[in-house]
Amino acid sequence: MMQQNNGLDRNQLISFFIFSAVLMAFMFYFQNKQTDEAKKSPQDSKTEQKVTTAKPTNAVNITTPVNAAAIKNVTLKNELLTVEFSALGGQISSAKLNQYFAYDKKTDEHDLPLYLINKNNSSYGFQFKDKTGKVFSTKDLIFSPSVAGNSVTMTAQVSGATIQFVYTLLDQYAIDFNVKTQGLSNLVTDDKAEFNWNYSVRGMEKGRSQEQTHSEFNYAFNNYKDADYDTNGFEEPKETLNWIGVKQQFFTSVIETSNGFINSKGTQESIKEGELLKKFNFDGQIKLAGNELNQNFKWYFMPLDLPLLKSFEGKEFDTILPLGWSFIGTLNRWFFVPVYNWLTDWGIAAGWVIFLMTIVTKLVLSPVMYKQHKLSAMMKVVKPEIEEANEKFKNADPLKKQQATMEIYRKAGINQMAGCLPALVQIPIFYALFRFFPNMIDLRGKSFWFVNDLTAYDDLIKLPFNIPLIGEHISIFAIACTVVILIYTIMTSGNMQQQQQPGMPDMRIMMYIFPVTFFFFLNTSSSGLSWYYFVSNALNIFIILAIKHWILDEKKIHAMIQENKAKGPKPEGKFQKRMREMMEKAQEQQKMQEAQKRKK
């Protein structure tokens, strides 16, 4: 079963938890789990991480001498990729995406060359056991390169055995990696080889914490039928992995194997500061045939562009893009992404595309919002009766007060559950957009007004120091969104009932707290998301005014309620019946408890 990362950094997690707790008080409760960052020493975090390799042993004779003159690098290039291969270990030592650029903090633009592999941040190889039980690794061998067209053959000799890595640069973002050995069976007795990949990802986006949170393992198994992700560490002792990848916010590095990795294990470790974000270590076993390793692999260094990922049919690469699980992902893939693409095809700027997407979403939700505001108007009409019932039963059993309130609603034809529907409908939309904006590569680097990148926060207001939960900047879009949410809350909280029981909080006050807590969440989020919610809530205010002054007539609603009362109460719905039965059962239990106390 495919899962998705929660995508929350530490500051967002705290503010979002507060936000969820506020909403839980009157309707529902959310809980997101964020993995704690692994501890790392200051010295390790300030220096670029060098990947550990297996130490050469005396078990085998490495016939090629290790000296600087022998180490030669070769390069293959196409329109999309520039790949360099090192003679040391026969590995890919550099992988550059030619059509993309990395974020430059000095210029606040994406104008630096974008390398997924460079400066020793990646090391991989195969590890074998010889007949004495000693270990040797291809990482320590010196390979001789031979280039022919778009292919390079790396050859190394180990005690009479030959190991060859044949790399072929294919179309798009793929590199064929064919491994061949001859004479290896004379050295080893084990029927398995270990594949080790140590990879420290480098920051390429604005907003370290957001990109760090979006960096994780992804892998497919069960013959590409299932996919999963990992934000901490994983072990798959039973599954055969078809590919393993390390994903960043907008790019990924993937290695695929024709026969699969078994007994796989992955670990990852966050790096607090510096050029590197996270350190990933993957270990998996490869089965040998006749104690020889002859197997085909493929490397992919590619952007997380949904059409591109889908073009690799049967690979399930589109699961790497964290658009959400289950219905959330479906909503993004089949609604928001197509709507966004359709609007951008008209040549509309990204910020205005988001504006139009908001209008489209509001039009889809307009029938639900109309019912919500109609219910609000009906609640306002019966409010005097509710207050009278509260006064009448203020010293009585709370259950009786609740029953009297429900009876008033039932006679007036008011279904309280109808008020929950709009919120429930908007929950998946909120999460879908929470996934959409910071992960849509088409929005990466797109500017709008004072925002340089709609997938990152806007920091026009910079602070000279770091404030907990806020950081070193204040987002203008986050402030604007907070203001309109506060106005919307004030406009819609007038009909909410006051606290009915002593000690219970006034829900209206809690609703006013929500916009403030939401600011901390938006301040470090994608500015595209903040812009969407600003427009969405501004439209909500306009819709409320339109419904109040031009669509709904309180006099007509009052007449309708009186007509409903004259007809008699409607038959109980399933929810109302269950609520009544629960209250009656609670009353019976209370009476039994009181009777037992009297006997004592």
Side-chain angles (χ1 to χ4, degrees):
M1 186 174 99
M2 187 188 72
Q3 303 176 10
Q4 292 293 340
N5 184 17
N6 58 17
L8 292 171
D9 64 34
R10 185 179 297 274
N11 289 347
Q12 289 178 333
L13 179 67
I14 296 171
S15 57
F16 192 63
F17 178 80
I18 298 172
F19 153 57
S20 300
V22 172
L23 295 187
M24 176 200 67
F26 62 92
M27 196 169 299
F28 54 85
Y29 174 79
F30 283 114
Q31 182 179 5
N32 283 330
K33 182 180 180 182
Q34 172 67 29
T35 306
D36 290 331
E37 290 188 351
K39 292 184 178 179
K40 193 174 189 305
S41 66
Q43 182 179 356
D44 290 338
S45 64
K46 291 180 181 178
T47 57
E48 184 170 309
Q49 303 297 306
K50 291 188 177 180
V51 185
T52 58
T53 59
K55 295 181 179 179
T57 67
N58 296 325
V60 295
N61 178 25
I62 301 176
T63 56
T64 306
V66 181
N67 56 67
I71 300 178
K72 297 179 181 179
N73 293 348
V74 295
T75 301
L76 297 178
K77 182 179 180 180
N78 63 17
E79 184 181 0
L80 304 175
L81 280 178
T82 299
V83 187
E84 186 177 276
F85 304 88
S86 173
L88 178 59
Q91 312 172 60
I92 296 174
S93 57
S94 175
K96 176 178 174 287
L97 275 65
N98 299 331
Q99 297 183 350
Y100 291 90
F101 296 90
Y103 176 74
D104 185 355
K105 189 175 182 180
K106 295 179 180 178
T107 63
D108 198 25
E109 299 286 347
H110 289 86
D111 55 16
L112 295 176
L114 196 152
Y115 290 93
L116 291 181
I117 295 179
N118 197 25
K119 299 179 182 178
N120 300 320
N121 71 319
S122 175
S123 176
Y124 62 88
F126 300 92
Q127 193 168 278
F128 305 92
K129 280 186 180 180
D130 71 358
K131 294 180 179 180
T132 66
K134 301 295 184 179
V135 174
F136 67 97
S137 173
T138 61
K139 292 182 182 181
D140 304 313
L141 304 179
I142 298 297
F143 287 74
S144 299
S146 174
V147 180
N150 64 336
S151 296
V152 56
T153 300
M154 314 289 287
T155 306
Q157 302 291 330
V158 183
S159 296
T162 301
I163 299 177
Q164 277 192 339
F165 294 165
V166 182
Y167 295 96
T168 303
L169 184 57
L170 306 176
D171 295 334
Q172 291 187 323
Y173 295 91
I175 303 165
D176 192 67
F177 175 33
N178 195 12
V179 180
K180 301 176 182 179
T181 66
Q182 186 175 2
L184 188 65
S185 57
N186 297 326
L187 300 179
V188 302
T189 56
D190 200 350
D191 62 350
K192 294 184 292 293
E194 297 281 346
F195 176 76
N196 312 116
W197 182 23
N198 311 111
Y199 184 32
S200 296
V201 297
R202 180 174 283 105
M204 294 182 292
E205 310 300 333
K206 180 179 181 178
R208 180 184 181 87
S209 60
Q210 180 173 251
E211 186 181 8
Q212 193 175 55
T213 302
H214 282 84
S215 299
E216 62 191 14
F217 274 124
N218 290 85
Y219 54 93
F221 55 97
N222 192 20
N223 291 323
Y224 301 95
K225 294 177 182 178
D226 297 300
D228 208 343
Y229 76 98
D230 166 66
T231 58
N232 185 27
F234 75 92
E235 290 188 27
E236 291 287 358
K238 297 181 180 179
E239 300 291 349
T240 299
L241 272 57
N242 305 112
W243 53 258
I244 177 74
V246 173
K247 165 198 165 295
Q248 292 179 244
Q249 189 172 355
F250 294 109
F251 304 94
T252 187
S253 303
V254 177
I255 183 168
E256 179 187 22
T257 170
S258 56
N259 294 342
F261 296 111
I262 59 175
N263 295 322
S264 300
K265 181 180 179 180
T267 62
Q268 55 182 287
E269 178 182 358
S270 295
I271 301 172
K272 293 182 180 180
E273 59 183 37
E275 186 181 359
L276 302 176
L277 299 177
K278 268 187 177 181
K279 181 179 179 181
F280 293 84
N281 298 305
F282 171 75
D283 296 292
Q285 293 181 342
I286 302 292
K287 290 183 179 179
L288 303 180
N291 287 353
E292 298 285 350
L293 177 55
N294 294 290
Q295 191 171 146
N296 193 53
F297 300 82
K298 276 190 175 68
W299 280 102
Y300 302 86
F301 302 100
M302 52 189 173
L304 293 177
D305 178 71
L306 188 58
L308 170 68
L309 299 175
K310 285 184 174 181
S311 69
F312 296 97
E313 295 183 5
K315 305 294 186 182
E316 295 296 311
F317 285 156
D318 62 306
T319 62
I320 302 175
L321 187 61
L323 291 178
W325 49 268
S326 187
F327 178 70
I328 306 298
T330 301
L331 188 62
N332 269 323
R333 285 177 170 85
W334 295 100
F335 180 74
F336 286 114
V337 172
V339 169
Y340 175 86
N341 291 334
W342 177 69
L343 291 172
T344 51
D345 287 343
W346 289 80
I348 304 172
W352 294 115
V353 168
I354 295 173
F355 178 83
L356 294 175
M357 283 178 63
T358 312
I359 294 177
V360 171
T361 304
K362 287 300 174 185
L363 289 175
V364 173
L365 293 175
S366 58
V368 178
M369 292 190 67
Y370 173 78
K371 290 183 179 180
Q372 180 187 25
H373 293 296
K374 182 179 178 181
L375 174 66
S376 178
M378 294 175 72
M379 297 277 283
K380 183 177 180 180
V381 171
V382 300
K383 186 176 180 180
E385 296 182 48
I386 298 295
E387 291 175 348
E388 183 180 342
N390 289 339
E391 181 65 25
K392 181 179 179 181
F393 293 99
K394 67 178 182 179
N395 297 322
D397 188 342
L399 290 174
K400 289 183 179 180
K401 185 193 296 184
Q402 186 65 26
Q403 285 177 328
T405 301
M406 291 183 65
E407 186 64 21
I408 293 172
Y409 288 144
R410 195 160 68 91
K411 286 180 179 180
I414 297 174
N415 181 8
Q416 288 178 282
M417 284 301 294
C420 299
L421 180 61
L424 294 175
V425 170
Q426 292 182 61
I427 291 171
I429 293 175
F430 171 84
Y431 274 101
L433 292 170
F434 173 70
R435 296 290 185 184
F436 178 88
F437 288 109
N439 293 294
M440 193 69 175
I441 196 168
D442 289 344
L443 286 171
R444 180 179 184 263
K446 295 293 177 65
S447 60
F448 181 64
W449 290 345
F450 51 84
V451 176
N452 290 336
D453 186 355
L454 284 167
T455 61
Y457 55 80
D458 68 272
D459 58 353
L460 190 63
I461 303 176
K462 293 181 172 64
L463 302 176
F465 45 82
N466 188 294
I467 300 177
L469 299 180
I470 293 180
E472 297 179 347
H473 73 278
I474 295 178
S475 166
I476 293 178
F477 271 158
I479 293 175
C481 189
T482 301
V483 171
V484 294
I485 293 177
L486 186 59
I487 295 173
Y488 175 74
T489 302
I490 293 172
M491 293 177 66
T492 56
S493 63
N495 296 328
M496 179 170 285
Q497 298 299 317
Q498 293 285 345
Q499 58 197 56
Q500 298 180 6
Q501 298 180 21
M504 292 295 290
D506 189 334
M507 299 305 297
R508 292 183 300 180
I509 296 176
M510 298 186 70
M511 289 182 68
Y512 298 148
I513 295 174
F514 158 65
V516 178
T517 61
F518 202 43
F519 163 78
F520 298 106
F521 168 74
L522 291 175
N523 194 55
T524 54
S525 297
S526 161
S527 55
L529 183 65
S530 300
W531 168 236
Y532 169 85
Y533 277 104
F534 169 78
V535 176
S536 178
N537 285 279
L539 288 175
N540 282 343
I541 293 172
F542 174 79
I543 291 171
I544 289 176
L545 293 174
I547 291 175
K548 181 178 179 180
H549 294 288
W550 295 298
I551 299 177
L552 288 180
D553 188 334
E554 289 189 8
K555 292 182 179 179
K556 290 183 179 180
I557 292 175
H558 186 271
M560 181 187 67
I561 290 176
Q562 298 306 318
E563 186 179 344
N564 289 339
K565 289 180 180 180
K567 291 178 181 178
K570 291 183 179 181
E572 284 183 320
K574 291 183 179 180
F575 174 77
Q576 290 174 321
K577 184 179 179 181
R578 288 178 182 174
M579 287 294 293
R580 178 179 56 80
E581 289 175 350
M582 288 173 61
M583 285 190 289
E584 290 175 353
K585 186 176 181 180
Q587 282 183 327
E588 291 176 3
Q589 290 177 348
Q590 188 175 2
K591 289 179 181 178
M592 291 176 61
Q593 290 175 356
E594 290 176 354
Q596 290 176 355
K597 288 180 180 179
R598 292 193 197 102
K599 290 180 180 179
K600 292 180 179 180

